[in-house]
Amino acid sequence: EAFLRIKVMSDIFYRKYSTDITGIKYILNNYCEIKREEEVSEEFIDKFTSIIEFYFEVFKESKEIFKRVEMVDKEYKFIGNMNISIMDSLVGVLLNEETKLTPEKVKENYVKIINKTYRDSIEHGIENPFTTSTGILVTILKRYEIARNILGVS
């Protein structure tokens, strides 16, 4: 399901697929119905695999990958479970664009930007697109713009 979600959300952001449907489950079902005759290419699978490998270079430890970041005692900490919305946007961007940043710089950007997104939601009531209304177009677009900033491709 995560693989499909990455493909669909990426196709939405990069305007390869559009829908008026809301709710991730419904969007995924509709996408599958429309694209049921299409095959996933070996090239796509290879690229997807290399992107996942890149993120293992970025995060080094699997306990950090695609998690929320909070500041604890003046130090960034990876908190909670892996966030699928963070994963789908970061992987989806690299399916369509390339970063020139090193894994270290991506991680530095990630902790700062994901922490700021989290803090803004807690301190200022700004909707966090990684945790609320994740199946609405505007939050999908916001997630991808944040991911593009993390990866230095915006």
Side-chain angles (χ1 to χ4, degrees):
E1 185 178 324
F3 180 87
L4 175 64
R5 179 175 164 152
I6 291 165
K7 175 82 171 114
V8 174
M9 296 300 139
S10 172
D11 282 1
I12 289 172
F13 183 79
Y14 290 98
R15 294 184 171 93
K16 298 174 187 175
Y17 167 73
S18 64
T19 183
D20 294 330
I21 296 171
T22 59
I24 290 175
K25 175 183 172 183
Y26 301 109
I27 292 170
L28 297 181
N29 286 342
N30 181 258
Y31 184 91
C32 288
E33 183 63 29
I34 290 170
K35 306 273 189 173
R36 70 178 171 263
E37 299 299 323
E38 292 184 20
E39 291 185 20
V40 178
S41 70
E42 189 173 326
E43 178 184 321
F44 179 85
I45 300 293
D46 291 344
K47 187 169 188 175
F48 182 88
T49 301
S50 71
I51 291 166
I52 296 299
E53 289 169 355
F54 172 76
Y55 283 116
F56 275 108
E57 287 180 49
V58 169
F59 293 103
K60 305 279 191 250
E61 298 180 42
S62 61
K63 67 181 180 181
E64 296 178 345
I65 197 163
F66 307 126
K67 290 189 174 185
R68 184 177 76 238
V69 178
E70 293 181 19
M71 183 70 77
V72 179
D73 297 326
K74 298 183 182 180
E75 188 176 318
Y76 290 116
K77 299 282 186 185
F78 293 88
I79 306 294
N81 296 321
M82 182 174 79
N83 183 304
I84 300 301
S85 293
I86 293 173
M87 180 187 71
D88 83 46
S89 55
L90 285 171
V91 173
V93 168
L94 290 185
L95 285 170
N96 294 278
E97 302 185 64
E98 292 191 26
T99 182
K100 294 185 182 349
L101 301 182
T102 64
E104 295 78 19
K105 183 61 178 172
V106 170
K107 185 173 183 179
E108 178 185 323
N109 289 351
Y110 178 91
V111 296
K112 289 177 183 175
I113 293 170
I114 293 296
N115 175 258
K116 181 181 181 329
T117 303
Y118 173 72
R119 274 195 347 265
D120 285 349
S121 72
I122 299 298
E123 296 171 5
H124 306 292
I126 297 171
E127 186 173 68
N128 183 339
F130 296 106
T131 58
T132 57
S133 304
T134 56
I136 295 175
L137 180 61
V138 69
T139 57
I140 296 166
L141 300 178
K142 284 180 185 176
R143 285 198 307 269
Y144 270 73
E145 286 303 332
I146 292 169
R148 292 181 80 239
N149 287 334
I150 290 168
L151 295 163
V153 296
S154 55

